[in-house]
Amino acid sequence: MKPFRYLPRLRLVPRRVRPRRIPTQSYLAVSPPNLAANRVPKVRLFSSTSFSTSNWGPSYGPIEDVEGLYGYQPGGHHPLNINDLVHDRYRVVHKLGHGSFSTIWLALDESSADARYVAIKVCTAEYDGGEVNILRQLRRSPGIGESFWVPKILHHFGIDGPNGRHECIVTPPARCSLRDAREASSRWLFPLDVARSMAAQLAMAVQVVHEWGWVHGDIHFGNILLQMPASLNHLTVQQLYEQFGAPDPQPVLLLKETGEETRQSDSESPPLPTGVPSYAIPPIWLGKSGDDLSLSETKIILTDFGVAFRPEDKSRFESYTPLVSRPPEALFEPTVPLSFASDIWSLGCVIFEIMGHRSLIDGILATQNRVTTQHVHLLGKPPAEWWAKWQSREKHFDDDGTPRDKESDIWNWERRFEGWVQSPRRDFGMEVMGQEEAHAFMDMLKTMVVWRPEERPTAEDFMDMEWMKKWAIPAYEEGIKRMCKS
Ligand SMILES: Nc1ncnc2c1ncn2[C@@H]1O[C@H](COP(=O)(O)OP(=O)(O)OP(=O)(O)O)[C@@H](O)[C@H]1O
């Protein structure tokens, strides 16, 4: 791990106002053609939109920030375009984003007199359809019904297309993910009170979900969205485009064997395969930079329940959480079902990331081994049977757990907190946690991010912790007060 302090690593130059990431998050570690199998290793390594091999079909010219175009094949994405009418009701006005199993579109619901904007998640044809059922069941749980931290399904239907039948889930549109909001910010940090409120809301979301028997199973920065203010619905499409930018369709071009792009006008060029759109649409940026967020507009929603499960009904052994927030039992005890405690580990990691300028565990292209090495730097030697199972330990540690890495490469709790939370805040002239708060914060994280799942607090215990009660929840309550006033 590089001992840098606060320079963001993946910051790419903004195109218009949207923060750019490495082009897409959709390059899977498994062969693209087997889309059903993609559900299993939900690991994203790196990105490309022009990915192809001779076995996997045609190659396309690269287009930044759109879904992997190889995903447009039988069983894969549904080709949609701006202005399409979906289900005789939803007029597509822009793209909101994409995930590994879906594209998400901003549409106007033309069925209501006061046409409102909605988000339509169009799943790949081979997607198993679990998320709607999960969300429906969750929403039926008393208490969750009205919770605004869990997505509300407005409509659900299927559509047929050249690549198969696709489940579509309609929800209110959100602004952007926390990951996007932070990447858009110049300081790579949220204001302290905003971050505290986000942490409180996320913890409450997890508490509600756990209380009704569900484990989310995929808590990470990209799955927490900032809610959209209702004022969006007052904009006409024209006003929306003026304010946020009109769609900028990018022609999808096949690559010749030489690697050159064919031209659309090239009479020699073969037609695009059936089911591949002629244009790809980079997403709109409805978001806000993390620096500019105010407490009164900080409302989050925990999304992507595609791998949520009820331990009471179903055992889940495999973790789909990205490595940076994946609990260690997923590696060391693959035959023991995951539990609520797996979410608590991820929650601890994400809360650190909300308060700081980067993730608790450094994860850019990190292998499981590097991640486990960091866990040991943080937590010391794992339980003996886990230590014995970890074959690569000798590369990084002596038998007694003493790291072989140089001192400068060892980042313990205090160093991570100081270097990645406090120091960047101080250097940017932002508010930092006082000593009392810092202690309470670290005490809380140190009870959540521990080796043994059974030693982690429950979500309920967690809400009772000093940092939550004295700093996080009051910030959230203050936000609500200001929201009501404005
Ligand atoms: N309601 C919404 N409003 C605005 N943007 C959204 C909405 N839902 C999803 N998005 C955007 O689309 C991205 C992908 O969504 P989501 O994670 O639900 O898809 P997925 O196919 O399940 O992805 P993965 O499983 O790879 O995380 C989000 O990170 C977000 O940027």
Side-chain angles (χ1 to χ4, degrees):
M1 183 194 322
K2 295 245 162 52
F4 67 85
R5 290 169 73 211
Y6 54 79
L7 281 181
R9 296 144 301 166
L10 278 185
R11 194 75 193 287
L12 304 180
V13 180
R15 190 173 73 176
R16 284 187 309 205
V17 282
R18 186 181 167 77
R20 318 304 291 177
R21 288 196 289 279
I22 270 182
T24 75
Q25 290 283 328
S26 60
Y27 184 124
L28 298 173
V30 291
S31 325
N34 187 359
L35 290 159
N38 284 0
R39 198 71 207 159
V40 180
K42 215 182 166 198
V43 177
R44 285 158 286 189
L45 288 184
F46 44 86
S47 317
S48 167
T49 53
S50 63
F51 188 80
S52 174
T53 74
S54 50
N55 292 335
W56 292 350
S59 307
Y60 301 97
I63 305 175
E64 201 187 323
D65 217 8
V66 302
E67 58 281 13
L69 296 170
Y70 55 77
Y72 286 97
Q73 57 171 303
H77 292 304
H78 178 63
L80 266 182
N81 228 320
I82 301 303
N83 232 3
D84 284 356
L85 189 65
V86 177
H87 205 61
D88 285 333
R89 174 168 172 182
Y90 301 105
R91 181 71 62 189
V92 174
V93 298
H94 217 308
K95 164 90 84 56
L96 284 167
H98 68 270
S100 315
F101 310 99
S102 61
T103 48
I104 296 101
W105 300 83
L106 181 66
L108 206 54
D109 180 356
E110 295 189 340
S111 73
S112 62
D114 53 342
R116 62 177 171 172
Y117 291 101
V118 294
I120 309 182
K121 180 168 180 169
V122 182
C123 300
T124 53
E126 286 190 359
Y127 175 65
D128 62 13
E131 187 169 5
V132 165
N133 293 335
I134 293 166
L135 280 172
R136 284 249 159 92
Q137 286 184 51
L138 243 176
R139 277 265 166 205
R140 277 200 291 268
S141 311
I144 287 192
E146 291 314 312
S147 161
F148 41 74
W149 298 300
V150 174
K152 185 175 194 171
I153 299 185
L154 302 172
H155 191 183
H156 165 229
F157 52 88
I159 51 173
D160 292 304
N163 294 326
R165 188 164 179 78
H166 306 262
E167 176 164 76
C168 296
I169 309 170
V170 182
T171 58
R175 241 180 177 162
C176 61
S177 66
L178 295 197
R179 182 180 58 201
D180 285 338
R182 192 177 59 183
E183 286 182 17
S185 69
S186 56
R187 294 177 290 195
W188 208 251
L189 286 159
F190 297 114
L192 191 59
D193 55 352
V194 164
R196 288 182 187 129
S197 168
M198 284 173 176
Q201 293 179 57
L202 177 62
M204 289 190 259
V206 173
Q207 190 199 10
V208 172
V209 170
H210 283 194
E211 205 168 292
W212 295 103
W214 290 85
V215 175
H216 182 277
D218 194 11
I219 299 175
H220 65 80
F221 231 46
N223 278 343
I224 307 162
L225 304 182
L226 274 176
Q227 293 188 30
M228 179 65 81
S231 54
L232 180 81
N233 282 325
H234 303 142
L235 300 181
T236 62
V237 175
Q238 194 49 40
Q239 288 168 332
L240 177 95
Y241 289 166
E242 279 162 18
Q243 207 166 318
F244 299 101
D248 180 18
Q250 302 290 310
V252 174
L253 301 173
L254 284 167
L255 287 185
K256 294 180 187 163
E257 279 188 8
T258 56
E260 272 174 279
E261 281 181 3
T262 54
R263 298 217 183 112
Q264 277 186 316
S265 56
D266 192 340
S267 55
E268 305 275 293
S269 77
L272 289 170
T274 315
V276 177
S278 315
Y279 292 90
I281 315 287
I284 190 171
W285 173 241
L286 294 173
K288 202 158 182 191
S289 137
D291 318 281
D292 300 334
L293 273 176
S294 68
L295 199 52
S296 59
E297 60 187 346
T298 302
K299 276 170 75 183
I300 62 143
I301 190 154
L302 176 60
T303 184
D304 197 355
F305 282 74
V307 294
F309 63 102
R310 272 176 77 85
E312 201 180 290
D313 300 342
K314 179 176 178 178
S315 293
R316 164 74 53 77
F317 300 91
E318 193 158 11
S319 171
Y320 301 101
T321 316
L323 278 179
V324 288
S325 47
R326 186 179 300 170
E329 60 270 25
L331 170 72
F332 290 115
E333 295 197 324
T335 55
V336 177
L338 292 168
S339 65
F340 298 98
S342 60
D343 271 354
I344 299 291
W345 171 286
S346 308
L347 180 62
C349 295
V350 173
I351 287 181
F352 180 95
E353 195 169 352
I354 288 175
M355 304 310 294
H357 76 135
R358 53 179 293 175
S359 53
L360 174 65
I361 303 298
D362 188 47
I364 300 303
L365 299 184
T367 58
Q368 175 72 67
N369 253 333
R370 280 315 298 176
V371 166
T372 305
T373 304
Q374 292 182 63
H375 290 170
V376 180
H377 287 168
L378 263 183
L379 310 176
K381 242 173 114 170
E385 64 280 18
W386 291 10
W387 187 242
K389 266 190 207 168
W390 185 30
Q391 298 192 340
S392 308
R393 69 180 187 280
E394 284 162 18
K395 273 198 223 151
H396 308 285
F397 299 94
D398 290 340
D399 252 7
D400 64 357
T402 309
R404 295 189 201 275
D405 282 330
K406 285 184 288 180
E407 182 81 27
S408 59
D409 284 340
I410 298 165
W411 288 73
N412 60 18
W413 274 115
E414 282 63 34
R415 203 166 162 214
R416 282 172 206 247
F417 177 65
E418 182 51 38
W420 302 347
V421 178
Q422 297 287 70
S423 171
R425 288 187 176 280
R426 210 173 287 119
D427 291 354
F428 280 122
M430 297 172 80
E431 194 187 348
V432 292
M433 290 189 208
Q435 233 179 28
E436 193 194 346
E437 177 177 5
H439 276 138
F441 180 70
M442 293 300 281
D443 281 354
M444 178 185 81
L445 289 194
K446 285 178 182 176
T447 65
M448 299 170 82
V449 182
V450 293
W451 288 114
R452 292 268 190 209
E454 58 277 15
E455 287 171 10
R456 295 175 206 148
T458 63
E460 207 182 335
D461 299 337
F462 168 71
M463 295 304 297
D464 246 358
M465 291 194 177
E466 193 189 1
W467 186 76
M468 291 301 295
K469 287 203 302 203
K470 277 178 82 171
W471 287 276
I473 294 172
Y476 162 67
E477 287 171 347
E478 178 59 29
I480 297 281
K481 258 195 240 154
R482 291 189 200 172
M483 210 178 287
C484 296
K485 269 195 206 149
S486 57

